[in-house]
Amino acid sequence: LSPRAVIIADNILYHGMVRIKGTIPHKHRTIVMRLREYLRMVTQDKRFETTFYENGDGMTVSYWKGYEYAENGIIGTCR
């Protein structure tokens, strides 16, 4: 990604299935698993700053801080 890139993802809750704790219908399992993985990545990876909007089926706006961002803080700058 380019420094300071913005990633906008719409319909991130996939008809509410991403939040279901039980069994997901077979034909939806792959997309639900991948959306959960994506949400984990952009919310737990310190290199992203992510805002989640719960309107409708959900949307995230993520800002890429860069490869040089470490868990213990910024160790360089992105240009």
Side-chain angles (χ1 to χ4, degrees):
L1 291 173
S2 297
R4 299 182 195 101
V6 177
I7 302 169
I8 299 172
D10 196 14
N11 300 319
I12 203 76
L13 295 177
Y14 194 66
H15 309 290
M17 289 188 207
V18 170
R19 290 191 171 162
I20 292 175
K21 299 288 185 200
T23 304
I24 303 296
H26 184 268
K27 69 179 185 177
H28 300 290
R29 284 185 196 151
T30 300
I31 187 65
V32 169
M33 287 180 357
R34 289 181 179 173
L35 283 168
R36 287 175 178 166
E37 182 181 334
Y38 171 79
L39 284 170
R40 260 191 305 278
M41 180 184 71
V42 296
T43 58
Q44 294 177 5
D45 188 326
K46 303 275 187 203
R47 298 172 296 178
F48 288 98
E49 181 178 325
T50 300
T51 303
F52 183 80
Y53 298 95
E54 295 193 42
N55 299 11
D57 210 14
M59 180 175 83
T60 58
V61 178
S62 302
Y63 296 93
W64 173 248
K65 295 179 185 179
Y67 292 104
E68 298 172 347
Y69 191 86
E71 283 189 24
N72 55 350
I74 297 174
I75 58 174
T77 58
C78 294
R79 289 181 180 49

